[in-house]
Amino acid sequence: ALLCSRMQPPKNKNTEKPEPFYRLSVPKQKTSSDIINEARNVLQTVRTRRPFTPTEAQRKLFGSGSSRAPQNRPPSVFSLHASSFDLAESRPVSGVRLSPLDHKPVLVVLAKDEDSFISLPKPPADAAEVRKVSSARARLFRRTSQGNFLSAKTVPPDQNKEELDPEEPAMMNNLCRSNNNCLAEQRSNTPFNDESRQLICNERISRLEREDSLKGTSGKFLFQLRGESDQMKKPDTSSSWPSSAGWKRRVTGLEDETRINESEEEEIFWHRKILPILHELEEVEDNIENLCLACTKLYQALNEGNMLGKRFKRRSVLLKILCKLVDIDSDPLCLKLAKIILAMKVDGKNLLSVCKLAFKICRNEKNDYIIQNDRLLDCLLEVLRTEDLQKNNGALLYCMGAIKFMSGNAVLLNEMVNKGAVEMLLQLVKQINNIKENDTYFSNLGHLLVQLTATLRNLADLPPARCQLISNSAVSELCVALEQRMNDKDVCTYIVRIFSKLSSYNDFCAALADCSRCYILFLALLNKHQKQQDLVIRIIFILGNLTEKNNQAREQFFKERGSVNTLISLFQTYHELDLNAQKWYHERGREEKNHPKHPSEAEDVLIKLIRVLANLSVHPSVGAALAAAHRIVELLVTVLEYKSVDDCEELVINAATTINNLSYYKIKSSAVQDKKLHIAEMLLKLLMSNNMDGVIEAVRVFGNLSRYHEICDFIVQKKIYKFMIALLDAKNQDVCFSACGVLLNLTVDKNKRGLLMEERGIGKLVDCLQDFGPADWQLACLICKTLWNYSENITSAASCFGEDTDTLLALLTSLLDEELALDYSLDTDSRDYQKLYWEREFKPVAEKLLGRIQSHHSFLPAVTITPF
């Protein structure tokens, strides 16, 4: 019986029951035979490079390739001044409304009583006190009108020694009360704000503290004074509130007493720790370095005094000071200011402005180093975690934009992962997905989603982030966003870029393959944005990754409605674009040095599109269907017609590989069979090239096509068989295997067997058996089958095999000796694998060939050999 090579796929792990490719297992050490078998497998999957995404030259809210028109998107460049902040947000309010956000309100009952305690202010006991208050007011207004950002500067004690006598606490108690009454009266007649009233009291308390510390006055007196002066901050109850002792008797519960003590401690801390730093800010206003140091001390002091957040009573004073410093155009200083303002939990216009400030700082890549050292990221992540998505979507946009810029820095990127940014961002994606298209916020949140997905794309580079993306169901949420934002090319591009990066990893690729809707979404995007090359090429790359190793993914994609038609339409579109580009180039007669770079954008799409077809064709039923798709085969052959392997190697070789896969299916309706002669002519050009990878692919296709008599005649007519014999000298197992397959099919025809005698074909086959036999039993088996067919009508071993007869006899004898043939230095698994091939593939054919040669050798009696 004759042996014909249909180039059957080897019996390796690829033909066993498929397992999920993402299942982790201990990898087995591959033998040389394993590697060769995978490389030479007739039905090959194809790999390719991930599409390259160039880094933007400048950091912007939206990249240069954005589909958003400039007038329809928030700006990346803007001016920011102190006037951009709204200080009314933090203006002190009445006693009824004054309650810390994070604590239980105090004196609820009393607060209700306050409204009924309003009475007319009483005249001051001493007219001199009125003049003192008026003098303090004049100083305050004078400072404000002069543009001094520090409106709460204390007055040195030596300038006002005559105003207060620390030896007389009773007089001072009366003085504070009379001041309070006077202020109440003036408030009813003068546009004098709460902050100014507080500052007057602050000045008096500051002076008292200095004198108290100098003269050793008891701390109890200072507490008493502060308790009395607190009455001045209550706008409507100055004359009706009882004394400090009486007021405390009305407070019930330990919690209220604790609150009073906390307030008193805050007053002391403000004057002793905060005010000196504020004075320092004023004194070093022209020195950026000293301003930054002062801001650092201020943040530390505020944090130490628990004065960050919204509960701090003097927020408006502090915010005014900080916001005025924004006008000093210094990124290091603005970084310090942004950190403090964000820590003070501002909202509304102030939150928007401070997020813009952070965005402006992060936009400059040169600031990355100072940002690393100042923990701005913590503040911005806190904004994302706590602020309302719809109410503050503008602020969140610039906050997310700043974080996106940070993610371009490797150090900050790792810091984000360690701080749980991945989970936080996915939660934000989920919240945005809950906003429906008819919602008024839907469009604006699209801008935010662009920043968010761009950041996730950068995070996807890190292994810990990839694990978090999988564990937090990133695939499902991003698919929902993709479906909802199908008309937003920017959002779609960034999500597809995320999938493009992550689908190169088996675990994520498996999670994506399990999301059944992803195939429908990808097809919809391809049909909608067919000429958007940057989007199309990444979707095709993802589909190539999904279909490379997963047989279920191949079948599922193929069964989606319109999947093949979509691929054909894309093939035609980018084939025409490539032809037009090539025609445009040749018409202008460009010089050689100005040749266009390969692969071009159109060629790159075709490379990855053909890869999908090659991967799909590995599935038996899908491959058979594609082999019958005449338009697909026509397009593949067209690539071989107009494209040289020297112009675009990957494109031509991918086309040849796909044709090879499709030629494996010998079905009646095969389009490959109909065009086999034309394909052979195109392959001849590739076979004669200097590109060894291209030569190997062409030989593989000839290995399948040579099953047809017309192709065998073509091989003889074009003397391609001589080329196949010459390839046996390549000293490359894979090349020898492919060439031997073609020669095997030629020997089926008895009229073509004599061709092996030319170019020393028999001797080269024996050399290959000697060189590669023990390491590659599949190749050894193929050589023995070729020699078996060749020697079918043998009459004499010497006349048939010539001078190589004795070498062949000795070689077959040694290779059939199990102890000599099998390498027992291998580990158990590898040895068993080798033995399996030796027993099933090589041994049966080699024994029969040895018997035939021995039976026709001159010194041995003839032995009858049963044919196969």
Side-chain angles (χ1 to χ4, degrees), residues 44-215:
Q44 298 178 92
T45 57
V46 178
R47 294 187 176 184
T48 188
R49 296 180 299 273
R50 183 165 59 84
F52 174 68
T53 303
T55 304
E56 290 284 346
Q58 292 181 329
R59 291 181 173 182
K60 296 180 180 179
L61 201 59
F62 300 94
S64 56
S66 174
S67 62
R68 285 165 163 75
Q71 66 271 19
N72 295 330
R73 66 190 190 197
S76 293
V77 180
F78 42 78
S79 59
L80 203 63
H81 306 287
S83 58
S84 304
F85 292 83
D86 180 14
L87 299 176
E89 170 205 331
S90 302
R91 185 184 299 127
V93 293
S94 68
V96 178
R97 294 173 56 192
L98 186 60
S99 58
L101 293 178
D102 299 327
H103 294 267
K104 182 179 177 181
V106 182
L107 298 178
V108 176
V109 177
L110 284 176
K112 293 181 180 178
D113 294 342
E114 275 185 353
D115 295 335
S116 62
F117 266 93
I118 299 174
S119 61
L120 293 174
K122 297 179 180 179
D126 186 353
E129 295 305 319
V130 176
R131 289 193 296 275
K132 291 179 182 179
V133 172
S134 299
S135 176
R137 181 194 302 275
R139 286 196 304 274
L140 173 67
F141 280 136
R142 191 159 52 247
R143 282 196 192 117
T144 306
S145 65
Q146 291 171 355
N148 190 338
F149 67 80
L150 182 57
S151 56
K153 182 177 179 180
T154 54
V155 181
D158 57 349
Q159 295 180 14
N160 294 284
K161 286 182 179 178
E162 74 282 3
E163 294 186 25
L164 291 174
D165 185 359
E167 300 289 323
E168 299 177 15
M171 181 185 298
M172 282 186 289
N173 266 344
N174 292 331
L175 180 61
C176 285
R177 292 192 184 94
S178 63
N179 280 345
N180 193 28
N181 295 338
C182 180
L183 286 173
E185 180 178 6
Q186 291 189 2
R187 183 175 59 251
S188 62
N189 300 313
T190 309
F192 190 51
N193 62 31
D194 296 334
E195 181 183 341
S196 302
R197 291 195 299 274
Q198 181 176 332
L199 291 175
I200 295 171
C201 183
N202 289 347
E203 287 188 350
R204 298 179 63 82
I205 292 176
S206 180
R207 291 196 302 272
L208 288 174
E209 286 178 345
R210 287 188 173 88
E211 294 180 11
D212 185 37
S213 61
L214 290 172
K215 297 185 179 182

Side-chain angles (χ1 to χ4, degrees), residues 80-84 322-330 334 337:
L80 203 63
H81 306 287
S83 58
S84 304
L322 297 175
C323 292
K324 287 179 181 178
L325 288 173
V326 172
D327 286 335
I328 301 175
D329 189 16
S330 165
C334 286
L337 297 174

Side-chain angles (χ1 to χ4, degrees), residues 593-612:
K593 63 180 182 180
N594 293 324
H595 272 182
K597 182 181 178 181
H598 292 285
S600 65
E601 289 186 350
E603 286 173 334
D604 209 7
V605 172
L606 291 174
I607 287 168
K608 291 164 177 58
L609 178 58
I610 292 173
R611 175 194 180 217
V612 175

Side-chain angles (χ1 to χ4, degrees), residues 487-527:
N487 294 320
D488 191 332
K489 179 183 172 289
D490 291 350
V491 172
C492 292
T493 299
Y494 279 115
I495 294 177
V496 166
R497 282 178 177 175
I498 295 170
F499 287 160
S500 175
K501 279 190 175 185
L502 295 177
S503 63
S504 299
Y505 301 92
N506 288 349
D507 48 1
F508 191 90
C509 196
L512 185 58
D514 288 340
C515 181
S516 58
R517 284 200 56 78
C518 76
Y519 303 104
I520 301 174
L521 292 173
F522 291 150
L523 287 170
L525 282 171
L526 289 174
N527 288 318

Side-chain angles (χ1 to χ4, degrees), residues 626-639:
L626 292 176
H630 285 259
R631 186 55 184 151
I632 287 179
V633 175
E634 287 173 4
L635 289 167
L636 290 171
V637 173
T638 304
V639 171

Side-chain angles (χ1 to χ4, degrees), residues 304-579:
E304 179 187 348
N306 197 25
M307 293 180 175
L308 296 173
K310 292 191 174 184
R311 59 177 298 186
F312 179 40
K313 293 181 180 179
R314 289 183 171 83
R315 284 177 85 240
S316 69
V317 177
L318 190 55
L319 280 173
K320 280 187 178 180
I321 294 171
L322 297 175
C323 292
K324 287 179 181 178
L325 288 173
V326 172
D327 286 335
I328 301 175
D329 189 16
S330 165
D331 284 352
L333 176 60
C334 286
L335 174 61
K336 303 284 184 182
L337 297 174
K339 181 180 174 183
I340 298 174
I341 295 172
L342 284 169
M344 294 175 70
K345 307 297 183 187
V346 294
D347 53 22
K349 183 178 179 181
N350 286 346
L351 180 61
L352 174 61
S353 296
V354 74
C355 286
K356 282 186 172 182
L357 184 62
F359 175 89
K360 183 179 177 184
I361 297 164
C362 297
R363 190 175 60 208
N364 188 346
E365 191 173 351
K366 295 179 180 178
N367 292 332
D368 284 355
Y369 180 75
I370 61 173
I371 292 171
Q372 292 173 28
N373 298 327
D374 230 322
R375 303 177 67 84
L376 178 64
L377 178 61
D378 292 354
C379 300
L380 295 178
L381 290 177
E382 181 66 12
V383 170
L384 291 185
R385 188 180 67 83
T386 58
E387 294 301 331
D388 183 82
L389 182 65
Q390 298 183 24
K391 178 183 175 183
N392 295 312
N393 66 81
L396 289 177
L397 171 67
Y398 286 100
C399 174
M400 194 66 243
I403 293 175
K404 178 187 74 174
F405 294 154
M406 289 184 187
S407 69
N409 178 278
V411 175
L412 291 170
L413 191 66
N414 279 283
E415 189 177 340
M416 286 181 196
V417 178
N418 296 334
K419 294 182 183 299
V422 174
E423 184 177 359
M424 194 181 302
L425 296 183
L426 289 176
Q427 285 296 322
L428 200 56
V429 173
K430 188 173 183 178
Q431 292 180 43
I432 295 174
N433 287 343
N434 290 332
I435 306 297
K436 302 307 176 186
E437 191 170 359
N438 55 0
D439 195 290
T440 55
Y441 295 99
F442 184 84
S443 178
N444 287 338
L445 290 177
H447 302 321
L448 175 59
L449 196 56
V450 171
Q451 313 306 313
L452 205 160
T453 50
T455 308
L456 285 173
R457 185 201 66 175
N458 292 340
L459 285 165
D461 285 324
L462 301 181
R466 290 197 294 268
C467 294
Q468 293 177 31
L469 286 167
I470 295 172
S471 61
N472 286 284
S473 304
V475 170
S476 58
E477 289 301 334
L478 291 174
C479 281
V480 171
L482 200 60
E483 187 169 9
Q484 291 183 350
R485 306 280 172 170
M486 192 72 69
N487 294 320
D488 191 332
K489 179 183 172 289
D490 291 350
V491 172
C492 292
T493 299
Y494 279 115
I495 294 177
V496 166
R497 282 178 177 175
I498 295 170
F499 287 160
S500 175
K501 279 190 175 185
L502 295 177
S503 63
S504 299
Y505 301 92
N506 288 349
D507 48 1
F508 191 90
C509 196
L512 185 58
D514 288 340
C515 181
S516 58
R517 284 200 56 78
C518 76
Y519 303 104
I520 301 174
L521 292 173
F522 291 150
L523 287 170
L525 282 171
L526 289 174
N527 288 318
K528 187 175 185 64
H529 303 286
Q530 193 168 101
K531 292 190 177 182
Q532 301 293 332
Q533 189 269 352
D534 58 333
L535 186 60
V536 168
I537 193 171
R538 286 169 176 81
I539 297 174
I540 295 297
F541 176 74
I542 296 165
L543 290 173
N545 290 341
L546 289 172
T547 56
E548 182 180 346
K549 301 175 184 177
N550 192 328
N551 223 26
Q552 184 179 354
R554 296 168 189 142
E555 184 177 6
Q556 192 168 353
F557 174 77
F558 179 76
K559 287 183 176 179
E560 291 293 344
R561 184 177 180 183
S563 59
V564 175
N565 289 335
T566 299
L567 295 180
I568 292 174
S569 177
L570 285 170
F571 204 146
Q572 292 176 162
T573 298
Y574 284 90
H575 171 61
E576 290 171 5
L577 288 173
D578 189 35
L579 281 177

